[in-house]
Amino acid sequence: MDNRLFSYINWGLLACMLLLYLVGVGNLYSASGTRVESGLAFNSFYQRQLIWGLCGVVCMLLAMVFDYRQLRNLAWPFFLITVFLLLLVPIAGKTVYGAKRWISLGFMSLQPSEMAKLSVLVLVARLLARDSRPLGWKNFCSVLCVGLIPCGLIIVQPDLGTTLLILLIMGGMILFHGLKGYVLKTCLLVAPAAVAFMWFVGMHDYQRQRILTFLDPGNDPRGTGYHIIQSRIAIGSGELWGKGFREGTQSQLRFLPERHSDFAVAVFGEEWGFVGCVALVTLFCLFLLSIFSTAVQAKDRFGSTLVVGVFFYFFWQIFINMGMVIGLMPVVGIPLPFISYGGSATVVNFTLLGIVLNVSMRRFMFKS
């Protein structure tokens, strides 16, 4: 590997990523503490997140050292391996909170749906990079099938959040590439029918209830509306400056559910207040802007499309999770990148950013 490539690394993106990760670990450390009679007890969420972060950094470095254009040749094999693992989940997967999404490897658990995000992103980028012209029906349907196959396997786990995220990533990449006018018009006409099909056929009862609860959380304050209500209380009680590190009552006294995963940012908002939340949103905006600037600077269609896919991967997770914790979006189980706990998700996040840095490092390689 040419050492001169390191001079072209997007250092701003690297700094934002590491800062977000450290903020996430600190937030998990705070969320992990619960007061009991014998003193202060901790669980190991933040410790495991540190271990997963080290694994993620290794994967990020590995994703940086080769020419990213080689991913074209790995796209189909990686996709097929992911589909195989998704097929294996109903057979050998373990059930957690009523959902079978993980495959136990003894020392760790693997979540194939996280791999599906990465494999679909890379394969869609390969398919879209074949031709610069807007997609007609044939190419559009071939790209769509790539995403629908893993989505069909994921939604039966059930995991509506990941299914929705994959579709949104793929949709963003397709719109960035471009659609022919008649294809776009037809999609807009068919979209209401697709939404109706998902509502009546594709969703479980509890998933429909989540959306109804989003519209009126007070309708079931002790049941399905509990998460949103407690999250709003936590963020609102932080007021302007917050209650201070490890001083949040909603999180420390366990009123706030899933405070280490889906509602991790509610813990942050209670402790650091409005000012802290604005700082966190600003950091995420700089993070996304750095990714998008890399997509603009990429010198080939595959690299640009690949980075755009990573941009939408992070954008939709940030948008949906933050909207979810303040009641502007339904609760669909999408974590906040680097802030929420998640082993497989952390490794995928670092790996995707390694690919972005890879493209950034090689943005001048085609110049004479």
mmCIF file of all heavy atoms in Angstrom, residues 144-188:
data_model
loop_
_atom_site.group_PDB
_atom_site.id
_atom_site.type_symbol
_atom_site.label_atom_id
_atom_site.label_comp_id
_atom_site.label_asym_id
_atom_site.label_seq_id
_atom_site.Cartn_x
_atom_site.Cartn_y
_atom_site.Cartn_z
ATOM 1 N N LEU A 144 -34.172 -3.649 -7.306
ATOM 2 C CA LEU A 144 -35.195 -3.785 -6.269
ATOM 3 C C LEU A 144 -35.207 -5.191 -5.680
ATOM 4 O O LEU A 144 -35.349 -5.367 -4.460
ATOM 5 C CB LEU A 144 -36.566 -3.447 -6.852
ATOM 6 C CG LEU A 144 -37.713 -3.260 -5.852
ATOM 7 C CD1 LEU A 144 -37.426 -2.080 -4.933
ATOM 8 C CD2 LEU A 144 -39.024 -3.043 -6.596
ATOM 9 N N CYS A 145 -35.042 -6.201 -6.523
ATOM 10 C CA CYS A 145 -35.047 -7.591 -6.044
ATOM 11 C C CYS A 145 -33.896 -7.867 -5.094
ATOM 12 O O CYS A 145 -34.035 -8.658 -4.155
ATOM 13 C CB CYS A 145 -34.989 -8.556 -7.229
ATOM 14 S SG CYS A 145 -36.531 -8.662 -8.152
ATOM 15 N N VAL A 146 -32.750 -7.225 -5.329
ATOM 16 C CA VAL A 146 -31.597 -7.405 -4.454
ATOM 17 C C VAL A 146 -31.944 -7.019 -3.019
ATOM 18 O O VAL A 146 -31.531 -7.676 -2.056
ATOM 19 C CB VAL A 146 -30.405 -6.562 -4.969
ATOM 20 C CG1 VAL A 146 -29.334 -6.423 -3.896
ATOM 21 C CG2 VAL A 146 -29.825 -7.194 -6.218
ATOM 22 N N GLY A 147 -32.728 -5.955 -2.861
ATOM 23 C CA GLY A 147 -33.108 -5.539 -1.521
ATOM 24 C C GLY A 147 -34.287 -6.304 -0.948
ATOM 25 O O GLY A 147 -34.344 -6.561 0.255
ATOM 26 N N LEU A 148 -35.231 -6.702 -1.809
ATOM 27 C CA LEU A 148 -36.447 -7.354 -1.314
ATOM 28 C C LEU A 148 -36.183 -8.761 -0.786
ATOM 29 O O LEU A 148 -36.890 -9.234 0.115
ATOM 30 C CB LEU A 148 -37.497 -7.405 -2.431
ATOM 31 C CG LEU A 148 -38.102 -6.051 -2.835
ATOM 32 C CD1 LEU A 148 -39.118 -6.237 -3.944
ATOM 33 C CD2 LEU A 148 -38.732 -5.356 -1.636
ATOM 34 N N ILE A 149 -35.177 -9.448 -1.342
ATOM 35 C CA ILE A 149 -34.887 -10.819 -0.877
ATOM 36 C C ILE A 149 -34.480 -10.827 0.599
ATOM 37 O O ILE A 149 -35.103 -11.521 1.416
ATOM 38 C CB ILE A 149 -33.808 -11.478 -1.762
ATOM 39 C CG1 ILE A 149 -34.375 -11.744 -3.165
ATOM 40 C CG2 ILE A 149 -33.324 -12.786 -1.133
ATOM 41 C CD1 ILE A 149 -33.341 -12.223 -4.165
ATOM 42 N N PRO A 150 -33.447 -10.080 1.012
ATOM 43 C CA PRO A 150 -33.120 -10.073 2.453
ATOM 44 C C PRO A 150 -34.208 -9.420 3.303
ATOM 45 O O PRO A 150 -34.429 -9.834 4.446
ATOM 46 C CB PRO A 150 -31.809 -9.286 2.523
ATOM 47 C CG PRO A 150 -31.748 -8.502 1.277
ATOM 48 C CD PRO A 150 -32.466 -9.297 0.245
ATOM 49 N N CYS A 151 -34.910 -8.420 2.745
ATOM 50 C CA CYS A 151 -35.975 -7.767 3.518
ATOM 51 C C CYS A 151 -37.087 -8.758 3.861
ATOM 52 O O CYS A 151 -37.629 -8.747 4.970
ATOM 53 C CB CYS A 151 -36.562 -6.595 2.725
ATOM 54 S SG CYS A 151 -35.526 -5.109 2.772
ATOM 55 N N GLY A 152 -37.418 -9.632 2.907
ATOM 56 C CA GLY A 152 -38.441 -10.636 3.161
ATOM 57 C C GLY A 152 -38.027 -11.604 4.257
ATOM 58 O O GLY A 152 -38.870 -12.057 5.048
ATOM 59 N N LEU A 153 -36.728 -11.916 4.335
ATOM 60 C CA LEU A 153 -36.234 -12.827 5.367
ATOM 61 C C LEU A 153 -36.108 -12.131 6.723
ATOM 62 O O LEU A 153 -36.253 -12.782 7.769
ATOM 63 C CB LEU A 153 -34.866 -13.391 4.951
ATOM 64 C CG LEU A 153 -34.861 -14.255 3.684
ATOM 65 C CD1 LEU A 153 -33.431 -14.587 3.268
ATOM 66 C CD2 LEU A 153 -35.654 -15.533 3.908
ATOM 67 N N ILE A 154 -35.861 -10.826 6.714
ATOM 68 C CA ILE A 154 -35.674 -10.095 7.965
ATOM 69 C C ILE A 154 -37.010 -9.765 8.624
ATOM 70 O O ILE A 154 -37.139 -9.834 9.845
ATOM 71 C CB ILE A 154 -34.860 -8.804 7.709
ATOM 72 C CG1 ILE A 154 -33.424 -9.163 7.313
ATOM 73 C CG2 ILE A 154 -34.846 -7.915 8.940
ATOM 74 C CD1 ILE A 154 -32.610 -7.990 6.829
ATOM 75 N N ILE A 155 -38.009 -9.438 7.821
ATOM 76 C CA ILE A 155 -39.273 -8.987 8.400
ATOM 77 C C ILE A 155 -40.006 -10.108 9.133
ATOM 78 O O ILE A 155 -40.823 -9.864 10.016
ATOM 79 C CB ILE A 155 -40.176 -8.364 7.311
ATOM 80 C CG1 ILE A 155 -41.230 -7.461 7.955
ATOM 81 C CG2 ILE A 155 -40.828 -9.453 6.466
ATOM 82 C CD1 ILE A 155 -41.993 -6.613 6.976
ATOM 83 N N VAL A 156 -39.694 -11.383 8.798
ATOM 84 C CA VAL A 156 -40.353 -12.498 9.494
ATOM 85 C C VAL A 156 -39.660 -12.823 10.820
ATOM 86 O O VAL A 156 -40.140 -13.673 11.567
ATOM 87 C CB VAL A 156 -40.380 -13.761 8.596
ATOM 88 C CG1 VAL A 156 -41.154 -13.496 7.314
ATOM 89 C CG2 VAL A 156 -38.976 -14.239 8.272
ATOM 90 N N GLN A 157 -38.556 -12.139 11.157
ATOM 91 C CA GLN A 157 -37.830 -12.470 12.391
ATOM 92 C C GLN A 157 -38.582 -12.134 13.677
ATOM 93 O O GLN A 157 -38.368 -12.886 14.652
ATOM 94 C CB GLN A 157 -36.452 -11.795 12.360
ATOM 95 C CG GLN A 157 -35.542 -12.352 11.291
ATOM 96 C CD GLN A 157 -34.165 -11.704 11.281
ATOM 97 O OE1 GLN A 157 -33.875 -10.783 12.059
ATOM 98 N NE2 GLN A 157 -33.289 -12.166 10.404
ATOM 99 N N PRO A 158 -39.357 -11.115 13.871
ATOM 100 C CA PRO A 158 -39.628 -9.968 12.989
ATOM 101 C C PRO A 158 -38.717 -8.792 13.346
ATOM 102 O O PRO A 158 -38.362 -8.592 14.498
ATOM 103 C CB PRO A 158 -41.083 -9.633 13.326
ATOM 104 C CG PRO A 158 -41.233 -10.006 14.755
ATOM 105 C CD PRO A 158 -40.272 -11.140 15.034
ATOM 106 N N ASP A 159 -38.337 -8.004 12.323
ATOM 107 C CA ASP A 159 -37.486 -6.841 12.523
ATOM 108 C C ASP A 159 -37.888 -5.776 11.509
ATOM 109 O O ASP A 159 -37.294 -5.644 10.441
ATOM 110 C CB ASP A 159 -36.021 -7.234 12.357
ATOM 111 C CG ASP A 159 -35.072 -6.116 12.783
ATOM 112 O OD1 ASP A 159 -35.551 -5.001 13.017
ATOM 113 O OD2 ASP A 159 -33.855 -6.363 12.856
ATOM 114 N N LEU A 160 -38.940 -5.035 11.849
ATOM 115 C CA LEU A 160 -39.459 -4.008 10.943
ATOM 116 C C LEU A 160 -38.457 -2.879 10.750
ATOM 117 O O LEU A 160 -38.326 -2.336 9.652
ATOM 118 C CB LEU A 160 -40.785 -3.461 11.491
ATOM 119 C CG LEU A 160 -41.451 -2.343 10.686
ATOM 120 C CD1 LEU A 160 -41.828 -2.829 9.302
ATOM 121 C CD2 LEU A 160 -42.672 -1.804 11.429
ATOM 122 N N GLY A 161 -37.725 -2.516 11.814
ATOM 123 C CA GLY A 161 -36.793 -1.404 11.726
ATOM 124 C C GLY A 161 -35.702 -1.628 10.697
ATOM 125 O O GLY A 161 -35.424 -0.752 9.863
ATOM 126 N N THR A 162 -35.058 -2.793 10.740
ATOM 127 C CA THR A 162 -33.986 -3.094 9.788
ATOM 128 C C THR A 162 -34.532 -3.206 8.367
ATOM 129 O O THR A 162 -33.891 -2.751 7.416
ATOM 130 C CB THR A 162 -33.271 -4.396 10.183
ATOM 131 O OG1 THR A 162 -32.732 -4.248 11.500
ATOM 132 C CG2 THR A 162 -32.145 -4.722 9.217
ATOM 133 N N THR A 163 -35.706 -3.812 8.224
ATOM 134 C CA THR A 163 -36.336 -3.907 6.908
ATOM 135 C C THR A 163 -36.570 -2.527 6.325
ATOM 136 O O THR A 163 -36.248 -2.256 5.154
ATOM 137 C CB THR A 163 -37.680 -4.666 7.012
ATOM 138 O OG1 THR A 163 -37.455 -5.955 7.567
ATOM 139 C CG2 THR A 163 -38.328 -4.805 5.649
ATOM 140 N N LEU A 164 -37.136 -1.645 7.130
ATOM 141 C CA LEU A 164 -37.396 -0.275 6.683
ATOM 142 C C LEU A 164 -36.106 0.437 6.323
ATOM 143 O O LEU A 164 -36.034 1.142 5.304
ATOM 144 C CB LEU A 164 -38.131 0.481 7.798
ATOM 145 C CG LEU A 164 -38.424 1.961 7.552
ATOM 146 C CD1 LEU A 164 -39.377 2.120 6.379
ATOM 147 C CD2 LEU A 164 -38.993 2.619 8.800
ATOM 148 N N LEU A 165 -35.063 0.235 7.120
ATOM 149 C CA LEU A 165 -33.792 0.916 6.878
ATOM 150 C C LEU A 165 -33.166 0.471 5.561
ATOM 151 O O LEU A 165 -32.670 1.301 4.787
ATOM 152 C CB LEU A 165 -32.838 0.658 8.039
ATOM 153 C CG LEU A 165 -31.479 1.358 7.964
ATOM 154 C CD1 LEU A 165 -31.646 2.867 7.908
ATOM 155 C CD2 LEU A 165 -30.613 0.959 9.150
ATOM 156 N N ILE A 166 -33.181 -0.820 5.280
ATOM 157 C CA ILE A 166 -32.612 -1.320 4.023
ATOM 158 C C ILE A 166 -33.349 -0.727 2.828
ATOM 159 O O ILE A 166 -32.738 -0.308 1.831
ATOM 160 C CB ILE A 166 -32.648 -2.858 3.985
ATOM 161 C CG1 ILE A 166 -31.652 -3.430 5.007
ATOM 162 C CG2 ILE A 166 -32.325 -3.384 2.591
ATOM 163 C CD1 ILE A 166 -31.693 -4.941 5.128
ATOM 164 N N LEU A 167 -34.668 -0.683 2.905
ATOM 165 C CA LEU A 167 -35.465 -0.117 1.808
ATOM 166 C C LEU A 167 -35.168 1.371 1.627
ATOM 167 O O LEU A 167 -35.082 1.862 0.490
ATOM 168 C CB LEU A 167 -36.952 -0.336 2.073
ATOM 169 C CG LEU A 167 -37.439 -1.792 2.026
ATOM 170 C CD1 LEU A 167 -38.908 -1.870 2.414
ATOM 171 C CD2 LEU A 167 -37.235 -2.387 0.625
ATOM 172 N N LEU A 168 -35.001 2.097 2.729
ATOM 173 C CA LEU A 168 -34.709 3.528 2.644
ATOM 174 C C LEU A 168 -33.309 3.780 2.073
ATOM 175 O O LEU A 168 -33.111 4.712 1.282
ATOM 176 C CB LEU A 168 -34.834 4.162 4.025
ATOM 177 C CG LEU A 168 -36.260 4.315 4.570
ATOM 178 C CD1 LEU A 168 -36.228 4.786 6.021
ATOM 179 C CD2 LEU A 168 -37.068 5.278 3.720
ATOM 180 N N ILE A 169 -32.336 2.972 2.476
ATOM 181 C CA ILE A 169 -30.982 3.106 1.917
ATOM 182 C C ILE A 169 -31.009 2.864 0.419
ATOM 183 O O ILE A 169 -30.453 3.640 -0.367
ATOM 184 C CB ILE A 169 -30.019 2.116 2.597
ATOM 185 C CG1 ILE A 169 -29.822 2.465 4.066
ATOM 186 C CG2 ILE A 169 -28.659 2.105 1.883
ATOM 187 C CD1 ILE A 169 -29.094 1.390 4.859
ATOM 188 N N MET A 170 -31.657 1.789 0.021
ATOM 189 C CA MET A 170 -31.733 1.442 -1.392
ATOM 190 C C MET A 170 -32.482 2.520 -2.174
ATOM 191 O O MET A 170 -32.080 2.903 -3.275
ATOM 192 C CB MET A 170 -32.432 0.087 -1.536
ATOM 193 C CG MET A 170 -32.393 -0.483 -2.937
ATOM 194 S SD MET A 170 -32.943 -2.204 -2.935
ATOM 195 C CE MET A 170 -34.569 -2.029 -2.179
ATOM 196 N N GLY A 171 -33.580 3.030 -1.590
ATOM 197 C CA GLY A 171 -34.333 4.085 -2.256
ATOM 198 C C GLY A 171 -33.518 5.345 -2.437
ATOM 199 O O GLY A 171 -33.581 5.993 -3.494
ATOM 200 N N GLY A 172 -32.739 5.727 -1.417
ATOM 201 C CA GLY A 172 -31.892 6.906 -1.539
ATOM 202 C C GLY A 172 -30.835 6.744 -2.616
ATOM 203 O O GLY A 172 -30.572 7.681 -3.389
ATOM 204 N N MET A 173 -30.225 5.573 -2.701
ATOM 205 C CA MET A 173 -29.211 5.319 -3.725
ATOM 206 C C MET A 173 -29.812 5.356 -5.124
ATOM 207 O O MET A 173 -29.214 5.888 -6.068
ATOM 208 C CB MET A 173 -28.542 3.962 -3.466
ATOM 209 C CG MET A 173 -27.752 3.903 -2.170
ATOM 210 S SD MET A 173 -27.107 2.243 -1.806
ATOM 211 C CE MET A 173 -25.809 2.100 -3.053
ATOM 212 N N ILE A 174 -31.009 4.801 -5.270
ATOM 213 C CA ILE A 174 -31.681 4.787 -6.579
ATOM 214 C C ILE A 174 -32.041 6.203 -7.011
ATOM 215 O O ILE A 174 -31.833 6.588 -8.173
ATOM 216 C CB ILE A 174 -32.930 3.887 -6.533
ATOM 217 C CG1 ILE A 174 -32.514 2.414 -6.413
ATOM 218 C CG2 ILE A 174 -33.794 4.080 -7.773
ATOM 219 C CD1 ILE A 174 -33.677 1.465 -6.181
ATOM 220 N N LEU A 175 -32.583 7.002 -6.093
ATOM 221 C CA LEU A 175 -32.937 8.379 -6.435
ATOM 222 C C LEU A 175 -31.701 9.208 -6.757
ATOM 223 O O LEU A 175 -31.737 10.081 -7.633
ATOM 224 C CB LEU A 175 -33.716 9.014 -5.287
ATOM 225 C CG LEU A 175 -35.147 8.494 -5.083
ATOM 226 C CD1 LEU A 175 -35.769 9.135 -3.853
ATOM 227 C CD2 LEU A 175 -36.008 8.745 -6.317
ATOM 228 N N PHE A 176 -30.594 8.953 -6.054
ATOM 229 C CA PHE A 176 -29.344 9.653 -6.356
ATOM 230 C C PHE A 176 -28.864 9.302 -7.759
ATOM 231 O O PHE A 176 -28.391 10.178 -8.498
ATOM 232 C CB PHE A 176 -28.282 9.284 -5.320
ATOM 233 C CG PHE A 176 -26.930 9.895 -5.590
ATOM 234 C CD1 PHE A 176 -26.663 11.191 -5.208
ATOM 235 C CD2 PHE A 176 -25.928 9.159 -6.212
ATOM 236 C CE1 PHE A 176 -25.421 11.757 -5.441
ATOM 237 C CE2 PHE A 176 -24.687 9.710 -6.457
ATOM 238 C CZ PHE A 176 -24.430 11.012 -6.068
ATOM 239 N N HIS A 177 -28.993 8.032 -8.127
ATOM 240 C CA HIS A 177 -28.584 7.603 -9.465
ATOM 241 C C HIS A 177 -29.524 8.154 -10.530
ATOM 242 O O HIS A 177 -29.074 8.599 -11.584
ATOM 243 C CB HIS A 177 -28.559 6.068 -9.532
ATOM 244 C CG HIS A 177 -28.164 5.541 -10.869
ATOM 245 N ND1 HIS A 177 -26.845 5.347 -11.226
ATOM 246 C CD2 HIS A 177 -28.907 5.165 -11.951
ATOM 247 C CE1 HIS A 177 -26.780 4.874 -12.456
ATOM 248 N NE2 HIS A 177 -28.026 4.751 -12.914
ATOM 249 N N GLY A 178 -30.828 8.111 -10.283
ATOM 250 C CA GLY A 178 -31.807 8.634 -11.224
ATOM 251 C C GLY A 178 -32.724 7.559 -11.786
ATOM 252 O O GLY A 178 -32.300 6.422 -12.036
ATOM 253 N N LEU A 179 -33.995 7.917 -11.944
ATOM 254 C CA LEU A 179 -34.998 7.038 -12.538
ATOM 255 C C LEU A 179 -35.593 7.712 -13.768
ATOM 256 O O LEU A 179 -35.720 8.941 -13.807
ATOM 257 C CB LEU A 179 -36.130 6.749 -11.541
ATOM 258 C CG LEU A 179 -35.850 5.810 -10.369
ATOM 259 C CD1 LEU A 179 -37.004 5.875 -9.377
ATOM 260 C CD2 LEU A 179 -35.654 4.384 -10.867
ATOM 261 N N LYS A 180 -35.943 6.919 -14.753
ATOM 262 C CA LYS A 180 -36.671 7.471 -15.887
ATOM 263 C C LYS A 180 -38.045 7.939 -15.423
ATOM 264 O O LYS A 180 -38.627 7.390 -14.495
ATOM 265 C CB LYS A 180 -36.789 6.436 -16.988
ATOM 266 C CG LYS A 180 -35.451 6.139 -17.660
ATOM 267 C CD LYS A 180 -35.591 5.208 -18.848
ATOM 268 C CE LYS A 180 -34.233 5.008 -19.529
ATOM 269 N NZ LYS A 180 -34.309 4.091 -20.688
ATOM 270 N N GLY A 181 -38.556 8.953 -16.100
ATOM 271 C CA GLY A 181 -39.776 9.615 -15.665
ATOM 272 C C GLY A 181 -40.950 8.680 -15.476
ATOM 273 O O GLY A 181 -41.655 8.735 -14.454
ATOM 274 N N TYR A 182 -41.162 7.771 -16.426
ATOM 275 C CA TYR A 182 -42.323 6.881 -16.322
ATOM 276 C C TYR A 182 -42.178 5.883 -15.180
ATOM 277 O O TYR A 182 -43.171 5.465 -14.578
ATOM 278 C CB TYR A 182 -42.560 6.157 -17.652
ATOM 279 C CG TYR A 182 -41.439 5.262 -18.112
ATOM 280 C CD1 TYR A 182 -41.377 3.922 -17.713
ATOM 281 C CD2 TYR A 182 -40.441 5.733 -18.967
ATOM 282 C CE1 TYR A 182 -40.344 3.098 -18.132
ATOM 283 C CE2 TYR A 182 -39.410 4.911 -19.396
ATOM 284 C CZ TYR A 182 -39.369 3.600 -18.975
ATOM 285 O OH TYR A 182 -38.356 2.780 -19.401
ATOM 286 N N VAL A 183 -40.944 5.514 -14.851
ATOM 287 C CA VAL A 183 -40.728 4.609 -13.719
ATOM 288 C C VAL A 183 -41.028 5.328 -12.408
ATOM 289 O O VAL A 183 -41.701 4.786 -11.522
ATOM 290 C CB VAL A 183 -39.277 4.086 -13.717
ATOM 291 C CG1 VAL A 183 -39.037 3.189 -12.500
ATOM 292 C CG2 VAL A 183 -38.979 3.325 -14.992
ATOM 293 N N LEU A 184 -40.553 6.561 -12.280
ATOM 294 C CA LEU A 184 -40.786 7.336 -11.066
ATOM 295 C C LEU A 184 -42.280 7.596 -10.852
ATOM 296 O O LEU A 184 -42.799 7.452 -9.740
ATOM 297 C CB LEU A 184 -40.027 8.654 -11.138
ATOM 298 C CG LEU A 184 -40.164 9.598 -9.936
ATOM 299 C CD1 LEU A 184 -39.678 8.914 -8.667
ATOM 300 C CD2 LEU A 184 -39.398 10.894 -10.182
ATOM 301 N N LYS A 185 -42.990 7.952 -11.913
ATOM 302 C CA LYS A 185 -44.431 8.230 -11.798
ATOM 303 C C LYS A 185 -45.192 6.978 -11.376
ATOM 304 O O LYS A 185 -46.093 7.037 -10.538
ATOM 305 C CB LYS A 185 -44.965 8.760 -13.128
ATOM 306 C CG LYS A 185 -44.449 10.145 -13.485
ATOM 307 C CD LYS A 185 -44.950 10.574 -14.854
ATOM 308 C CE LYS A 185 -44.375 11.947 -15.243
ATOM 309 N NZ LYS A 185 -44.797 12.359 -16.605
ATOM 310 N N THR A 186 -44.820 5.845 -11.953
ATOM 311 C CA THR A 186 -45.495 4.594 -11.592
ATOM 312 C C THR A 186 -45.233 4.236 -10.137
ATOM 313 O O THR A 186 -46.144 3.795 -9.422
ATOM 314 C CB THR A 186 -45.018 3.451 -12.506
ATOM 315 O OG1 THR A 186 -45.228 3.811 -13.880
ATOM 316 C CG2 THR A 186 -45.771 2.166 -12.196
ATOM 317 N N CYS A 187 -44.000 4.437 -9.669
ATOM 318 C CA CYS A 187 -43.658 4.139 -8.273
ATOM 319 C C CYS A 187 -44.468 5.006 -7.317
ATOM 320 O O CYS A 187 -44.931 4.533 -6.271
ATOM 321 C CB CYS A 187 -42.169 4.348 -8.046
ATOM 322 S SG CYS A 187 -41.112 3.112 -8.848
ATOM 323 N N LEU A 188 -44.653 6.282 -7.671
ATOM 324 C CA LEU A 188 -45.431 7.181 -6.828
ATOM 325 C C LEU A 188 -46.892 6.765 -6.767
ATOM 326 O O LEU A 188 -47.560 6.906 -5.736
ATOM 327 C CB LEU A 188 -45.309 8.624 -7.340
ATOM 328 C CG LEU A 188 -43.926 9.273 -7.201
ATOM 329 C CD1 LEU A 188 -43.911 10.649 -7.844
ATOM 330 C CD2 LEU A 188 -43.519 9.366 -5.740
#
